[in-house]
Amino acid sequence: DWRLNIRSGISGEQTEAYWYLHGPYVITVGIPKRFHGSVDDRRAVRDVSLQIMGAVKHVAEESEARGSGMMRTSLLVQAARLLAPLVRRGDPAL
């Protein structure tokens, strides 16, 4: 509840992200990974990419679990969530 979920588009592709507007923050660092093979081997590159994204997801979930309940929702986040539907509609008052 202490982060703001945002959606944005780059080159027509929609992405979703979180803005952490203030701390405290929880950071988890994963173990180093080493990969071997050729960058020209598309299947190997795809497999390594999936492994990397799986590791990133794991440490992100670990941080989320450790950080849950650390802080209540800030007034800034509450205000942003309240205004978000108006911004999406393109309300001229904003």
Side-chain angles (χ1 to χ4, degrees), residues 8-48:
S8 62
I10 299 173
S11 301
E13 185 176 329
Q14 288 290 314
T15 60
E16 190 170 7
Y18 300 105
W19 282 7
Y20 294 88
L21 303 173
H22 50 80
Y25 298 95
V26 176
I27 298 172
T28 303
V29 178
I31 59 171
K33 297 198 177 287
R34 298 202 185 280
F35 303 98
H36 304 281
S38 170
V39 296
D40 296 321
D41 183 348
R42 289 180 168 269
R43 174 173 274 158
V45 170
R46 187 175 326 120
D47 290 344
V48 166

Side-chain angles (χ1 to χ4, degrees), residues 11-93:
S11 301
E13 185 176 329
Q14 288 290 314
T15 60
E16 190 170 7
Y18 300 105
W19 282 7
Y20 294 88
L21 303 173
H22 50 80
Y25 298 95
V26 176
I27 298 172
T28 303
V29 178
I31 59 171
K33 297 198 177 287
R34 298 202 185 280
F35 303 98
H36 304 281
S38 170
V39 296
D40 296 321
D41 183 348
R42 289 180 168 269
R43 174 173 274 158
V45 170
R46 187 175 326 120
D47 290 344
V48 166
S49 297
L50 290 172
Q51 290 176 50
I52 292 170
M53 288 311 299
V56 168
K57 183 179 178 187
H58 176 75
V59 295
E61 289 170 350
E62 186 178 327
S63 288
E64 183 73 25
R66 287 192 355 234
S68 66
M70 286 181 69
M71 116 187 290
R72 64 175 182 76
T73 303
S74 73
L75 291 176
L76 183 57
V77 171
Q78 290 176 23
R81 287 184 177 152
L82 181 67
L83 295 174
L86 300 175
V87 171
R88 280 194 293 269
R89 282 197 323 236
D91 194 312

